[in-house]
Amino acid sequence: MAGVNIMAKDIDHILLDEETIRRRVKELGEQLSDDYEGKEVVALCVLKGACVFFTDLVRAMRIPISMDFMGISSYGDAVKTSGIVKITKDLDTSITGKHVLIAEDIMDSGLTLSHLKRLLHERQPASVKVCCMLDKPERREADITPDYCGFIIPNEFVVGYGLDYGQKYRNLPYIGVLKPEIYKQD
Ligand code: IMP
Ligand code: MG
């Protein structure tokens, strides 16, 4: 049916609507522009989850930056990470001496990002900081906090705005809590 988002039936409730996200991303962009002005910045998009957030975030920044993309996949099931990270696509450019700003969809256990940060530090960048759209601090296992964070959220499984369940729902324009029966039936 025209006008109805078919994916919405799998969503229990909307946690962050489009307008709320838009406003916060704009604020983050302003803050990052102030903090990184005059520096050589590589904005790093962690594929695939950060893709939607990344494209909005970089457009909210009003300083020159370069962009690069890294594909990582963490071994584990669909709702929980194992912390073992595999690079499926490496950066195309050198980050040595540059300020790396990692854009990520969500920090959950923190294992993925602490592993990724360690790995990037080996390439001797000037700095590495993390900007997460979402943070679930309750679930933290690694000793890491995002340098910039869009929203702190409760311990619920969310999808949309880049976040997936089984590769689906990334294209929902808002962030919603998936109905538990959707992931329990698998
Ligand atoms: P961490 O290593 O546990 O911090 O896992 C981070 C990754 O787990 C994210 O990049 C997401 O791909 C995935 N993830 C964690 N929580 C959620 C969620 O609520 N919805 C969708 N993906 C999630
Ligand atoms: Mg992910």
Side-chain angles (χ1 to χ4, degrees):
M1 203 203 315
V4 174
N5 192 321
I6 292 171
M7 293 176 279
K9 69 176 188 329
D10 298 343
I11 303 301
D12 186 76
H13 59 276
I14 295 176
L15 193 64
L16 300 162
D17 63 24
E18 288 181 70
E19 182 53 25
T20 306
I21 295 171
R22 198 192 59 74
R23 256 187 281 120
R24 182 68 186 121
V25 172
K26 182 92 182 95
E27 282 173 8
L28 283 173
E30 286 295 324
Q31 195 185 344
L32 290 166
S33 303
D34 289 345
D35 294 358
Y36 281 97
E37 193 174 354
K39 294 185 172 150
E40 193 167 355
V41 181
V42 179
L44 193 169
C45 174
V46 183
L47 298 170
K48 303 172 189 162
C51 67
V52 178
F53 173 49
F54 183 79
T55 54
D56 283 346
L57 186 68
V58 292
R59 282 179 294 174
M61 291 174 73
R62 42 175 173 68
I63 54 167
I65 56 160
S66 66
M67 298 181 209
D68 211 337
F69 299 83
M70 196 161 191
I72 59 171
S73 69
S74 31
Y75 296 102
D77 59 34
V79 290
K80 180 142 182 19
T81 318
S82 67
I84 302 164
V85 175
K86 186 176 95 173
I87 297 182
T88 55
K89 185 221 168 289
D90 206 342
L91 301 172
D92 293 328
T93 49
S94 165
I95 55 166
T96 305
K98 297 178 185 164
H99 294 273
V100 178
L101 177 67
I102 305 173
E104 185 42 323
D105 52 1
I106 186 166
M107 191 182 283
D108 189 35
S109 71
L111 293 168
T112 307
L113 277 167
S114 60
H115 187 99
L116 180 62
K117 273 185 87 172
R118 251 197 322 274
L119 208 137
L120 293 172
H121 271 301
E122 287 170 13
R123 302 180 188 185
Q124 286 157 354
S127 69
V128 179
K129 286 194 174 172
V130 175
C131 179
C132 276
M133 178 66 198
L134 305 174
D135 184 12
K136 273 188 206 173
E138 270 176 62
R139 302 245 312 165
R140 199 75 84 248
E141 291 173 39
D143 182 20
I144 183 171
T145 35
D147 300 283
Y148 301 89
C149 164
F151 302 93
I152 291 177
I153 64 163
N155 183 15
E156 288 177 301
F157 194 79
V158 292
V159 293
Y161 198 66
L163 289 143
D164 74 306
Y165 172 67
Q167 298 302 327
K168 284 194 257 174
Y169 309 103
R170 292 194 199 275
N171 60 321
L172 264 184
Y174 52 79
I175 293 168
V177 175
L178 195 61
K179 285 182 180 164
E181 63 255 39
I182 302 292
Y183 51 85
K184 284 192 182 133
Q185 77 195 2
D186 289 353

